[in-house]
Amino acid sequence: MKYERQQFIDKLIQGEGLVLTVYQDTLGIDTIGIGRNLEDRGITKEELDWMDIPNMDAVYEYGITEADAMHLAKNDVQIVEEELVRAHPCVDKLDAVRQLVLVDMAFNMGVPRLSKFKKMWAAIYENKFDIAAKEMLDSRWAVQVKSRSTKLAHAMHHGEFNA
């Protein structure tokens, strides 16, 4: 990817927050850190070992550290990037801003849901970013994330974020 992963994680912290104890997100899903969905993704044995946490019960009881949250977020972003490029190889050829927009969307809703934006993807494959941006805003996702969708659609259209 052409964008800086750490900058994206910092941006995720602004949007998703950083919570070191298990909480329920807006959909009632157990979550920790920077939006780690514990029901769908969970925490792998390798991640628990890296964090020096014996098991998931300890995560629920004691939470995690900020360093643990950053480790999980880096893993999450890498997984999303790989899934996104596998599903849509054109992402690899996009500029850093548009890659960041799509990774942000995929992080928020998952690659399978993002892949359902058929008209948006058709426009991206044809480098018609104005149409892609319009299609982003013509969605239930845009209603759910409100101003975030407007900022991301602007970035998709113009290839830059507003200051």
Side-chain angles (χ1 to χ4, degrees):
M1 292 289 181
K2 297 172 185 161
Y3 68 89
E4 285 291 321
R5 188 179 288 165
Q6 188 57 51
Q7 287 179 331
F8 177 60
I9 291 172
D10 293 343
K11 193 174 163 143
L12 280 176
I13 292 170
Q14 291 174 354
E16 302 273 341
L18 171 62
V19 182
L20 302 179
T21 55
V22 177
Y23 67 96
Q24 291 193 330
D25 71 5
T26 56
L27 300 175
I29 295 169
D30 286 353
T31 306
I32 199 165
I34 307 167
R36 170 61 76 101
N37 178 325
L38 294 177
E39 294 177 23
D40 291 342
R41 180 146 295 153
I43 299 178
T44 67
K45 172 85 171 94
E46 292 80 13
E47 289 170 328
L48 287 170
D49 289 346
W50 186 94
M51 297 185 296
D52 200 25
I53 297 175
N55 54 47
M56 284 303 295
D57 290 340
V59 171
Y60 274 85
E61 188 171 348
Y62 303 110
I64 61 175
T65 68
E66 191 170 327
D68 296 340
M70 295 301 285
H71 178 73
L72 294 176
K74 286 176 183 169
N75 290 349
D76 289 344
V77 172
Q78 183 173 345
I79 289 166
V80 167
E81 288 172 352
E82 290 169 1
E83 289 175 352
L84 190 57
V85 170
R86 205 169 26 253
H88 301 282
C90 70
V91 172
D92 242 359
K93 296 176 181 77
L94 296 174
D95 60 78
V97 170
R98 292 182 175 106
Q99 284 181 343
L100 189 57
V101 167
L102 293 168
V103 171
D104 189 313
M105 292 177 73
F107 191 89
N108 179 257
M109 72 179 84
V111 173
R113 275 187 58 209
L114 181 58
S115 292
K116 292 179 181 177
F117 284 60
K118 302 288 186 203
K119 293 177 182 175
M120 179 196 77
W121 283 110
I124 290 170
Y125 275 97
E126 295 177 16
N127 293 321
K128 295 180 179 176
F129 301 115
D130 56 331
I131 296 170
K134 183 176 157 277
E135 293 301 330
M136 288 167 62
L137 294 173
D138 186 22
S139 68
R140 188 169 30 141
W141 165 81
V143 173
Q144 291 170 337
V145 301
K146 301 175 181 70
S147 64
R148 183 175 173 183
S149 68
T150 307
K151 291 174 189 165
L152 291 175
H154 178 275
M156 175 61 74
H157 184 178
H158 299 284
E160 62 185 26
F161 285 99
N162 285 342

